[in-house]
Amino acid sequence: MPEPWSNEQFMAQLRKVGESRYHDKHPYHVRMHEGKLSPEQVRGWVANRFYYQKNIPVKDALILSKLPSREDRRDWIQRIIDHDGRGDDEGGIEAWVRLGEAVGIPREEMLDERHVLPAVRFAVDAYVNFCRLRPWPEAVASSLTELFAPTLVSSRIGVFEKLYPWIRPEGLEYFRARLQQAPRDADQGVGLVMRECKTRKEQEAAVAALSFKCDVLWALLDALSLAYPDEENRA
Amino acid sequence: MPEPWSNEQFMAQLRKVGESRYHDKHPYHVRMHEGKLSPEQVRGWVANRFYYQKNIPVKDALILSKLPSREDRRDWIQRIIDHDGRGDDEGGIEAWVRLGEAVGIPREEMLDERHVLPAVRFAVDAYVNFCRLRPWPEAVASSLTELFAPTLVSSRIGVFEKLYPWIRPEGLEYFRARLQQAPRDADQGVGLVMRECKTRKEQEAAVAALSFKCDVLWALLDALSLAYPDEENRA
């Protein structure tokens, strides 16, 4: 086995995954950020991405159950609270339901999963099972798409405001909250992965986990591309 | 299959399990509450029970990952916070480490598990795996020993204060906190079990789950009885 990477080399390998495979490069996502999606295509994205959103606390509870110490759990639990809410804070899942309402999807249609495509379900379930079944450092590494999320989410707020003026602005609260949460989560995740993945084999497994997670997000957009084709590509 | 029990009949069946099989009836526990355990026997109990305590947030995170809604998770997560702590609250696991110190077990000896008996490990791991692998209503039902805990814990505080004056009183904070937490947890657990277990088969599975959990706690004390025998029974 080759020598372990230095922390800097390891981070560079992780960032390279994002540069080549993060879902901002998917044609459906590129078109979204160019303002070219139809309302129906935006609604498809919001309703299907909700199946991913609602499974975040599930995969985070599975990771929580595997973390080796009370201290690690005390940090990680914040992710579940961010999505489920606590006390007066309604949390990210409710905020995403409101995004649905802001783009014209009734709450009931979000909650009953009628718009969720089978391939989206398979991809998200694969992600949850990855977190359930793989060693926890790999599960944590798979969350490191958060390294690339803030830049994308930040531009998405502007895109939605300017290029999709028909989306009611109160629907964007989820993205605003993530601007604070994602960098903190990324720092914590990187800290755990750097601490735990000391051999080259473990480091490569972490990179593969992040690559797998990019595949999950990519598959979601592939499924949307087929189900909600551009006007010019319709039969 | 026979008719479902009414809620009252179902509760009576659950309570019957506690009346016949809860660990307050185990000889080791009876002797503890009679003030008859030696310091070594008390330390054995505290150090081994810690392996149970430290696994509570693990099994609760597994249950959290299986609960069907954000609302159910928002309630359940409090159990993890109670044990791991959050913010300034150090939580029940740290409080149990302090109980260990109060009975004369150095923190390091609690944390490195050197005193944990194999049979205690097997029993507690069986409990965690039950919560991992069984349907979530059964996992929740297995937590309903909390129905019987407050009475026992309340008397334990008095017992420790009066009959074991050598235990430093600051060690009893864990039990004081549980006086508030356990009744709330029991109410919540009963609510979920009553809501979810509607057929006689489901109700009987819940009763069996509670019985299994009593076996776990009983096995812990069996292991202690063998490892820390009474003076008169020593070879």
Side-chain angles (χ1 to χ4, degrees), chain A residues 54 57-59 61-62 64-67 69-70 73-74 77-78 80-81 83-91 93-94 132, chain B residues 54 57-59 61-62 64-67 69-70 73-74 77-78 80-81 83-91 93-94 132:
Chain A
K54 75 192 291 186
V58 175
K59 70 95 183 163
L62 290 164
L64 192 73
S65 77
K66 302 204 275 189
L67 287 174
S69 76
R70 168 180 163 270
R73 289 195 302 264
R74 278 172 61 110
I77 201 168
Q78 185 61 45
I80 301 174
I81 291 170
H83 282 87
D84 282 343
R86 183 170 159 77
D88 291 337
D89 171 22
E90 293 187 316
I93 291 177
E94 173 61 21
R132 175 181 283 124
Chain B
K54 76 191 291 185
V58 175
K59 70 97 183 163
L62 288 164
L64 193 73
S65 77
K66 302 204 275 187
L67 288 175
S69 76
R70 166 180 165 270
R73 289 195 303 263
R74 278 171 62 110
I77 202 169
Q78 186 61 45
I80 301 173
I81 292 170
H83 282 86
D84 281 342
R86 183 169 158 78
D88 291 336
D89 172 22
E90 294 188 315
I93 291 177
E94 172 61 21
R132 176 180 284 123

Side-chain angles (χ1 to χ4, degrees), chain B residues 61-162:
Chain B
L62 288 164
I63 294 173
L64 193 73
S65 77
K66 302 204 275 187
L67 288 175
S69 76
R70 166 180 165 270
E71 289 73 20
D72 290 338
R73 289 195 303 263
R74 278 171 62 110
D75 289 336
W76 199 267
I77 202 169
Q78 186 61 45
R79 295 166 185 251
I80 301 173
I81 292 170
D82 286 342
H83 282 86
D84 281 342
R86 183 169 158 78
D88 291 336
D89 172 22
E90 294 188 315
I93 291 177
E94 172 61 21
W96 197 277
V97 173
R98 293 187 186 202
L99 171 62
E101 293 177 318
V103 300
I105 309 167
R107 170 176 294 263
E108 182 200 348
E109 293 188 19
M110 292 286 280
L111 297 182
D112 69 12
E113 303 180 5
R114 75 180 71 176
H115 301 293
V116 178
L117 299 163
V120 168
R121 201 179 292 276
F122 301 151
V124 172
D125 291 354
Y127 180 40
V128 173
N129 277 324
F130 185 92
C131 294
R132 176 180 284 123
L133 299 170
R134 302 292 304 170
W136 71 261
E138 292 180 38
V140 170
S142 73
S143 77
L144 291 183
T145 43
E146 282 151 353
L147 283 168
F148 323 119
T151 310
L152 186 62
V153 167
S154 170
S155 85
R156 189 179 293 151
I157 293 171
V159 161
F160 273 34
E161 286 176 337
K162 293 196 193 79

Side-chain angles (χ1 to χ4, degrees), chain B residues 28-29 32 37-53 96 99-106 109-110 113-121 124 160 164 166-167 217 219-229 234:
Chain B
Y28 199 89
H29 205 291
M32 177 160 70
L37 293 193
S38 68
E40 189 191 1
Q41 289 175 317
V42 170
R43 282 193 279 274
W45 179 76
V46 169
N48 276 276
R49 172 88 186 189
F50 182 62
Y51 187 70
Y52 172 81
Q53 298 299 139
W96 197 277
L99 171 62
E101 293 177 318
V103 300
I105 309 167
E109 293 188 19
M110 292 286 280
E113 303 180 5
R114 75 180 71 176
H115 301 293
V116 178
L117 299 163
V120 168
R121 201 179 292 276
V124 172
F160 273 34
Y164 301 92
W166 57 271
I167 299 177
L217 298 176
L220 202 150
L221 296 176
D222 277 352
L224 286 166
S225 304
L226 281 168
Y228 299 91
R234 288 192 188 182

Side-chain angles (χ1 to χ4, degrees), chain A residues 211-232:
Chain A
S211 184
F212 161 82
K213 167 69 175 298
C214 288
D215 290 344
V216 169
L217 298 176
W218 197 274
L220 202 151
L221 296 176
D222 276 352
L224 285 165
S225 304
L226 280 168
Y228 301 91
D230 296 333
E231 290 293 337
E232 61 263 37

Side-chain angles (χ1 to χ4, degrees), chain B residues 199-213:
Chain B
T199 68
R200 180 69 168 268
K201 190 173 175 184
E202 290 164 337
Q203 291 170 331
E204 289 183 352
V207 172
L210 180 54
S211 184
F212 160 82
K213 167 67 174 300

